[in-house]
């Protein structure tokens, strides 16, 4: 086999190995949506204050941001060990 064909095959193997460790985009998008819903539910049922003048009664941004970041990273952690 010629040297350039070997290089091409080696390059394709390296490129395929790099792509295999990333999760599919639809799984990442689904995970982000689940994170947003989970953050909203956590804010609505657990951390929301009962008073009208409470700051946390109207702003679920912290809970939604935290859960979205967690669920965004989760597919990458799960798929990083895949061979």
């Amino acid at each position: 086999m010629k040297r350039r064909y070997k290089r091409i095959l080696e390059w394709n193997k390296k490129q395929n190995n790099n792509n295999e460790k990333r999760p599919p985009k639809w799984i990442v998008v689904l995970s982000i949506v689940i994170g947003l819903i989970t953050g909203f539910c956590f804010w609505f049922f657990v951390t929301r204050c009962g008073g009208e003048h409470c700051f946390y009664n109207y702003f679920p941004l912290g809970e939604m941001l935290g859960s979205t970041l967690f669920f965004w990273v989760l597919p990458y952690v799960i798929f990083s060990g895949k061979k």
Side-chain angles (χ1 to χ4, degrees):
M1 186 179 285
K2 292 187 177 182
R3 191 181 322 170
R4 79 174 151 190
Y5 295 129
K6 287 182 182 180
R7 286 185 198 154
I8 290 172
L9 287 175
E10 289 174 6
W11 185 78
N12 285 338
K13 287 180 185 177
K14 289 179 184 176
Q15 186 178 12
N16 287 338
N17 287 338
N18 290 339
N19 289 338
E20 286 178 2
K21 294 186 179 182
R22 282 197 263 155
K25 290 182 181 181
W26 67 271
I27 291 179
V28 175
V29 170
L30 182 67
S31 181
I32 289 173
V33 170
I34 290 172
L36 284 170
I37 293 169
T38 304
F40 180 78
C41 289
F42 182 75
W43 166 77
F44 192 77
F45 294 114
V46 178
T47 61
R48 189 171 61 146
C49 297
E52 293 181 14
H53 300 293
C54 185
F55 178 75
Y56 294 110
N57 195 24
Y58 301 107
F59 299 106
L61 187 63
E63 289 85 355
M64 290 178 71
L65 182 65
S67 66
T68 302
L69 287 175
F70 175 74
F71 278 94
W72 175 55
V73 172
L74 191 63
Y76 292 100
V77 171
I78 293 171
F79 277 83
S80 68
K82 181 180 175 185
K83 291 183 179 181

